[in-house]
């Protein structure tokens, strides 16, 4: 008889125990979730900065060969496809022979001559519009 009572009592959890566990999980999700999302947003911005640095290196290699940066009309495509009349072009200057998009899936903006340096290269952020805060802020080559 004692053996039966022990097994009946130890079989499952009470409703109160389950509710306590759900409350604890909810609190953890409420505290940790925003931090994870904030971290992921920052990771996209850091990835865009690294891609802009890679582009800048490729643009400098293009300038060493050609004596100039690609024009705004030639754009970043000049790093993977030889522009017309570019006899000293020694590319492609990017490893995968493609122009990658920014971490949010948008094209990088390129302007040469630039308003801030010899060339301006930037991403408009998650909202693909100028300005913004947080993940929507522009990531630029001149800062």
């Amino acid at each position: 008889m004692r053996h039966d009572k022990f097994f009946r009592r130890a079989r499952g959890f009470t409703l109160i125990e389950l509710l306590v566990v759900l409350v604890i999980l909810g609190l953890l999700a409420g505290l940790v979730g925003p931090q994870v999302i904030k971290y992921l947003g920052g990771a996209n911005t850091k990835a865009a900065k690294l891609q802009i640095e890679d582009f800048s290196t490729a643009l400098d290699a293009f300038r060493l060969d050609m004596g100039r940066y690609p024009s705004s009309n030639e754009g970043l495509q000049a790093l993977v496809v030889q522009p017309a009349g570019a006899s000293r072009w020694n590319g492609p200057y990017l490893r995968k022979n493609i122009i990658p998009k920014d971490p949010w899936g948008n094209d990088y903006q390129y302007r040469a001559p630039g308003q801030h340096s010899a060339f301006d290269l930037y991403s408009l952020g998650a909202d693909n519009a100028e300005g913004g805060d947080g993940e929507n802020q522009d990531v630029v080559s001149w800062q």
Side-chain angles (χ1 to χ4, degrees):
M1 188 91 162
R2 275 182 147 176
H3 189 64
D4 273 346
K5 284 184 180 179
F6 176 74
F7 278 113
R8 275 192 216 147
R9 176 127 169 81
R11 244 187 237 170
F13 298 104
T14 66
L15 181 60
I16 301 262
E17 291 170 329
L18 290 174
L19 288 174
V20 168
V21 169
L22 288 175
V23 166
I24 291 171
L25 289 175
L27 287 172
L28 284 175
L31 295 172
V32 174
Q35 295 301 320
V36 170
I37 290 171
K38 182 179 172 183
Y39 174 78
L40 292 176
N44 283 342
T45 301
K46 287 178 185 175
K49 286 179 183 177
L50 289 174
Q51 281 183 324
I52 286 175
E53 287 178 19
D54 286 345
F55 276 127
S56 297
T57 301
L59 287 164
D60 288 339
F62 181 96
R63 186 179 67 79
L64 285 174
D65 289 342
M66 300 295 298
R68 63 176 178 82
Y69 288 108
S71 68
S72 294
N73 289 337
E74 293 170 333
L76 295 174
Q77 195 63 30
L79 298 174
V80 294
V81 176
Q82 183 173 358
S87 60
R88 296 185 313 188
W89 189 82
N90 195 24
Y93 298 94
L94 296 175
R95 288 185 203 149
K96 296 184 180 179
N97 297 338
I98 59 168
I99 305 297
K101 296 201 179 281
D102 70 12
W104 302 280
N106 303 313
D107 291 327
Y108 282 96
Q109 307 296 311
Y110 174 75
R111 181 175 45 224
Q115 295 175 348
H116 303 278
S117 62
F119 64 87
D120 292 348
L121 179 60
Y122 55 99
S123 166
L124 295 173
D127 63 354
N128 202 27
E130 289 190 21
D133 294 325
E135 197 172 333
N136 292 333
Q137 73 183 6
D138 299 345
V139 182
V140 299
S141 64
W142 57 86
Q143 290 178 343

